[in-house]
Amino acid sequence: MPELVLESNGRTWTLDPSRSYTLGRDPQGDVVVDDARVSWRHATISFNGRNWVVMDHGSTNGTFAQGQRIHHLEISSDTALNLGNANDGPRVTLSGAAAPAASPQAQPQPQQPYAAQGVQGATPGWVQEGQQQAQAQGGRQQQPPQQPGSYQSAPQQSAPYVPQQQGPGGAAGAAPMYGDRSPTTFHQFSLGRVMRIGRALENDLVVSDLQVSRNHAEFHSTPDGRMEIRDLGSHNGTYVNGMPIAKGGTQLLGPADIVGVGHSTFRIVGDRLEEFVDTGEVSFSARHLTVTVDGGKQILKDVSFGVPEKSLIAVIGPSGSGKSTLLKALTGYRPADRGEVLYDNRNLYKQFAELRQRIGLVPQDDILHKELTVKKALKYAAKLRFPADTTAAERDARIDEVLRELKLDIHKDKKVTSLSGGQRKRVSVALELLTKPSLIFLDEPTSGLDPGMDRDVMQLLRGLADDGRTVLVVTHSVAELAICDKLLVMAPGGSVAYFGPPDEALNFFGYDTWADVFSAFENYRDYDWAGRWKGSQHYQMYAADIDAVAPQSVQVPQMQAMRPPKPQGWMSQFVTLVRRYVSVIVSDKGFLALTVILPAVLGAVSLLIDADRGLLPNEPNQAGRIVPNGTATTVLLILAVGACFAGAANSVRELIKERVIYERERATGLSRSAYLMSKVFVLGMVTVLQGLMVGVIGFSSREIPEEGLVLGGFTLLELSIPIMALGFTSMMFGLIISALVKTAEKTMPLLVMFAIIQVVFTGCLFALHGAVGVNQFSFLMPSRWAVAAAGATLDFNRISPPETPGDLDPLWEHTAGTWLMDMGALIALGVICGFFVARFLRRHEPEVMRK
């Protein structure tokens, strides 16, 4: 059995064929290569009985022989390897192997996908053939190419290695959770010792991450020698294989289980704890994503691509190509019906509860309140997203750090609405960077910006990627694609037309400009763009390894309802949301003025109607017949309609204008009920005060009964309370409208329709009692019950008696019980409206949270 001589960095090893040798950065390995591009356990050299064999173990940056990435290489002659980089990676020379002469060849490991291999420094034959075809055609084609390979240049770099798929337990056997990435640090276990994890310095294992509670969780051994993790009431949760354990609960750990705490993950290996800190350098891939809508139509078709860490990827395509659908599938907002999304080799759909904290999403619309200053908007966001035990100083320090990074510190005291479009987009990015996401998605961040701002935003994204994040941007702008690492072009119908370097895309399509490419998409919609892509050499270079996963292995599992842990308790979220909402209202001087002027005007209008007439029943005339007091019913009609209109107008735009903000905050742990109750509380207070103002102005200058039914001598208050409650319930109806509509423009017609319907069903225009069907339908109208309560106090059965003396309206009976019943029904309508608003809000949450 021949010995093998290994030389590296001036040192020489003689390898014994009776054992295997490990190469990598692990100090306990056989051949230690101290270079950041080399993985912890990079490769193994062993003798298989016939030849010496080099096995790459899925290293992050690869092993190369003659410029070609290899995974399994039988050494038959003197061989030089480069670790981590084909050109200048650490060099390892192998010599002295006595074996039959054969040329080195790379073979993939069985059942393990790996990147297509490209030879550096040479032009492959298929490229030369493509160049000859292009020359024969006299230039680039001006019609959809009928054969793949009709472009003029080809990539000469290999795609990054994509780690193999995890097993069901969250890890592939004993393989590290991040491919072959080395642990950040090790922690030695002692028998019977408890190891506590948290942000506070007194913990055994201190994690300096604001997503982690001060005392978060602890590892401890059981009497039978097994290990378990116990959550210590953490705010953002403790996860095992991506699934949260109960707050304050425990779970036994197996050898392949992964524990997630904030941005750190842990695994027990023997008697030591390996810690992996997610610093942002993560790979990302999508495999066979398919989305089918009602009717069986596919709007996303078998989309596969993979990107390495610290990359900037642009997604472009014509309208109807599925870009927005793809973004929702990649972020987990609307999981694909088939396929999987891998976040550093972890299934995003299965482990969304944990991984959602590491993903930032910047929608096309700004995810902040424009009425606030930059610093104040970020303060409220940090208060909602960070655990309750973070101090104001810790939050302020993180905010200042992000502002400096994005060069927004000079604008921190400006209102968001006063910033330019590019600066507002930076603030939206800053909001997402607060929690240090490793993966950032942006939807049309340059929409509506001029070319200069377009460049600034794209350069900002380039900087974010260079700083150690993976950034994916959906855009219509093609001016700055050159600064991206990869470009994904979507074809009409939701399929991939190209994925690879941006500077080779136009040559791939055979056109001079992107306008020509998009025109071809439009003019040849039935052309098989996906088939052409999969038949190309570009596909072999950049996507074949991802696509090689068997379709049956990527079926999306049935997901259970996922309720993400809330960083803050319900009351803390409620208080923060109320304070933020009050700040928004106070900063809007126009809204404040309108809040006071509107009820004053509505109340004053009622004074124009027979100002000297009271609201008491008329005495019988000479014939003994009671003459109706038309002034009372008219005044009450005006006040009721005014309260309806004011209350609904206060809320009819509130949810629709904050829909994007709510969607994003809900995904980060916002309580739906806390959000809704903050709206109800603030708007309710405003509306009730408006109702009080309307009632006092409308009733105080007229003669009213001296004694009320319920409040005794406080008759003015007893008459105003139904008007206040009517405004509140109308405000709840306004929230229903706001939760239902898709655009703010649709709210005004519905507001007018609502107000008119309330006029009809007050009972002041015509008698409702006795009208079969109409009367029963009126019970759904808040104005019916509010007017009935006030009418009971005023004794409407005497003020406006029916034509048939015995046909009195039971809702107008002059009794305390009737007044309380009318008010109870009015309040019950408001509560029912709140239930429906909460249900409608569910439609605007990530779908994975609604399963």
Side-chain angles (χ1 to χ4, degrees), residues 337-340 347 350 550-558:
D337 301 306
R338 183 173 177 81
E340 63 184 357
N347 190 302
K350 294 180 181 179
Q552 62 269 21
S553 68
V554 295
Q555 184 69 40
V556 176
Q558 182 66 33

Side-chain angles (χ1 to χ4, degrees), residues 12-174:
T12 301
W13 290 262
T14 301
L15 308 188
D16 185 348
S18 63
R19 53 163 297 197
S20 61
Y21 296 81
T22 60
L23 282 71
R25 287 192 292 114
D26 186 354
Q28 299 180 4
D30 299 301
V31 180
V32 181
V33 184
D34 189 11
D35 189 285
R37 294 168 293 182
V38 178
S39 295
W40 193 255
R41 304 176 185 89
H42 196 101
T44 301
I45 301 177
S46 60
F47 189 76
N48 64 4
R50 184 172 60 91
N51 285 319
W52 284 93
V53 179
V54 178
M55 295 282 293
D56 183 281
H57 289 291
S59 60
T60 302
N61 295 313
T63 303
F64 299 86
Q66 299 179 3
Q68 183 178 6
R69 184 166 184 167
I70 62 98
H71 298 275
H72 177 281
L73 176 65
E74 292 191 0
I75 302 172
S76 55
S77 61
D78 293 353
T79 302
L81 303 176
N82 288 92
L83 308 181
N85 187 280
N87 298 320
D88 59 357
R91 190 176 181 86
V92 176
T93 303
L94 305 172
S95 60
S103 60
Q105 59 181 353
Q107 299 178 2
Q109 298 180 18
Q111 299 180 352
Q112 175 174 325
Y114 61 95
Q117 304 165 355
V119 181
Q120 300 274 344
T123 304
W126 62 267
V127 176
Q128 298 175 358
E129 179 182 355
Q131 292 174 337
Q132 294 170 0
Q133 292 177 356
Q135 293 172 357
Q137 294 170 354
R140 294 188 180 94
Q141 301 179 20
Q142 296 302 318
Q143 58 183 3
Q146 299 301 317
Q147 297 294 332
S150 58
Y151 27 85
Q152 298 182 1
S153 65
Q156 297 183 9
Q157 61 183 16
S158 60
Y161 174 78
V162 179
Q164 73 180 36
Q165 186 180 354
Q166 294 177 341

Side-chain angles (χ1 to χ4, degrees), residues 390-441:
T390 55
T391 64
E394 288 176 314
R395 294 193 298 269
D396 287 344
R398 179 57 188 158
I399 291 171
D400 291 338
E401 181 183 351
V402 171
L403 291 175
R404 286 193 301 269
E405 180 181 359
L406 299 182
K407 298 180 176 60
L408 286 171
D409 47 337
I410 60 176
H411 303 294
K412 64 181 180 181
D413 295 322
K414 296 180 181 177
K415 284 190 175 183
V416 176
T417 187
S418 67
L419 302 178
S420 66
Q423 290 168 343
R424 284 202 302 271
K425 193 57 64 177
R426 283 177 177 265
V427 177
S428 294
V429 174
L431 191 150
E432 290 300 309
L433 291 185
L434 289 175
T435 54
K436 297 184 178 180
S438 303
L439 188 61
I440 302 177
F441 294 90

Side-chain angles (χ1 to χ4, degrees), residues 529-591:
W529 296 100
R532 177 181 182 274
W533 157 244
K534 291 188 176 182
S536 68
Q537 291 290 345
H538 275 71
Y539 170 81
Q540 297 297 325
M541 297 291 290
Y542 299 114
D545 58 317
I546 304 286
D547 242 358
V549 181
Q552 62 269 21
S553 68
V554 295
Q555 184 69 40
V556 176
Q558 182 66 33
M559 290 178 290
Q560 299 178 350
M562 193 283 295
R563 300 192 177 197
K566 300 176 178 60
Q568 303 278 335
W570 190 95
M571 183 55 66
S572 177
Q573 286 193 1
F574 172 75
V575 172
T576 301
L577 291 167
V578 168
R579 291 178 58 193
R580 182 176 70 178
Y581 194 21
V582 171
S583 297
V584 171
I585 292 177
V586 170
S587 64
D588 190 347
K589 307 302 181 185
F591 179 81

Side-chain angles (χ1 to χ4, degrees), residues 227-273:
M227 297 299 300
E228 67 179 9
I229 182 72
R230 173 179 297 164
D231 183 84
L232 300 178
S234 63
H235 296 280
N236 277 323
T238 304
Y239 302 84
V240 176
N241 300 325
M243 300 303 294
I245 64 176
K247 195 169 186 176
T250 61
Q251 183 166 333
L252 287 171
L253 300 176
D257 288 335
I258 299 171
V259 177
V261 174
H263 285 79
S264 298
T265 42
F266 302 89
R267 190 185 60 188
I268 298 174
V269 179
D271 60 348
R272 68 180 185 179
L273 182 69

Side-chain angles (χ1 to χ4, degrees), residues 13 248 285 461 465 504 607 695 832:
W13 290 262
S285 62
L461 303 184
E504 299 171 8
L607 300 179
I832 293 172

